[in-house]
């Protein structure tokens, strides 16, 4: 632990944190201090807290995909509208209409 020497003065309350794994073996030691509000008779005592390693976050998985005998997803496919299917063709038609110039009128 790297800390300032002033943290060991009586004006600070000291707390050692012992981090232990599943087997009960210490893998990390921490020290925290806080300023005392007032003097008490237990001012020279050091508090020791044992912190057990908790379970980490678990991934949230989606439902598995169920396939039928042909290897396709079960259920009815959603039909697309004409505009959803052919929007690119309509856009191309409109672009050609704008870009192609009309004949010269004399």
């Amino acid at each position: 632990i790297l800390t300032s020497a002033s943290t060991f003065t009586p004006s600070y309350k000291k707390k050692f944190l012992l981090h232990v794994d599943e087997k009960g073996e210490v893998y990390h030691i921490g020290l925290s201090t806080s300023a005392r509000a007032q003097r008490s008779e237990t001012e020279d005592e050091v508090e020791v807290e044992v912190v057990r390693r908790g379970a980490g976050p678990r991934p949230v998985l989606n439902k598995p995909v169920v396939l039928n005998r042909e290897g396709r997803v079960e259920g009815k496919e959603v039909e697309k509208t004409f505009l959803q299917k052919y929007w690119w063709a309509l856009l191309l038609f409109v672009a050609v209409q704008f870009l192609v110039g009309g004949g010269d009128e004399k």
Side-chain angles (χ1 to χ4, degrees):
I1 301 171
L2 181 63
T3 186
S4 171
S6 65
T7 58
F8 295 101
T9 61
S11 61
Y12 287 101
K13 183 171 74 171
K14 292 160 246 3
K15 181 178 184 180
F16 278 102
L17 300 169
L18 299 175
H19 296 268
V20 296
D21 59 7
E22 295 81 17
K23 298 175 187 174
E25 297 176 0
V26 177
Y27 67 90
H28 181 75
I29 298 174
L31 172 69
S32 68
T33 59
S34 59
R36 294 182 189 270
Q38 58 186 351
R39 302 241 261 193
S40 64
E41 60 259 359
T42 61
E43 66 184 23
D44 291 335
E45 291 185 8
V46 176
E47 185 179 349
V48 177
E49 182 179 344
V50 177
V51 181
R52 297 201 180 275
R53 185 184 312 184
R58 299 214 177 251
V60 178
L61 303 175
N62 294 333
K63 296 186 315 183
V65 177
V66 179
L67 302 176
N68 60 14
R69 291 182 189 230
E70 291 89 33
R72 297 187 181 179
V73 178
E74 287 287 330
K76 192 174 186 181
E77 290 187 26
V78 178
E79 278 293 320
K80 293 184 179 181
T81 64
F82 180 80
L83 191 58
Q84 288 175 329
K85 288 181 186 177
Y86 301 110
W87 65 269
W88 57 271
L90 294 173
L91 183 65
L92 182 63
F93 176 75
V94 171
V96 167
Q97 296 300 317
F98 279 117
L99 294 175
V100 174
D104 289 337
E105 291 186 24
K106 293 187 182 182

